[in-house]
Amino acid sequence: MAKPGRMKEVEAEQGEQLITLIPRLLNEKGSIPAVARVIGVADRTLFIYCQRNGIRKQCVWFIQSQQCKDA
């Protein structure tokens, strides 16, 4: 997918490729609209970029440092 001009500028400003920058920002900000505002592109543009590059939300449930015991 060809990157829009603003997305190329963001890549140059941040010194990081979009393929690693966008997932990191999504983890920090929590949503595509929030990240789109930060980098200055349309929500739809960012959504399509994520779809085409395999960037997706995935939830994982786990128990952190606890053991399940029978009561």
Side-chain angles (χ1 to χ4, degrees):
M1 173 182 177
K3 296 175 197 160
R6 178 63 190 141
M7 292 177 89
K8 289 179 186 177
E9 291 173 11
V10 168
E11 217 171 38
E13 289 169 7
Q14 298 292 325
E16 185 176 352
Q17 291 184 342
L18 288 175
I19 199 71
T20 57
L21 176 65
I22 289 175
R24 185 173 56 76
L25 289 174
L26 284 168
N27 285 329
E28 290 173 9
K29 304 295 181 188
S31 69
I32 286 180
V35 173
R37 280 192 299 274
V38 168
I39 65 176
V41 298
D43 297 1
R44 181 98 176 124
T45 302
L46 185 57
F47 179 77
I48 291 169
Y49 180 85
C50 289
Q51 275 189 324
R52 292 190 178 168
N53 288 284
I55 299 169
R56 62 185 175 92
K57 185 176 184 179
Q58 182 175 356
C59 295
V60 178
W61 294 86
F62 63 94
I63 300 173
Q64 184 176 354
S65 69
Q66 293 181 0
Q67 292 182 351
C68 297
K69 297 179 183 178
D70 293 330

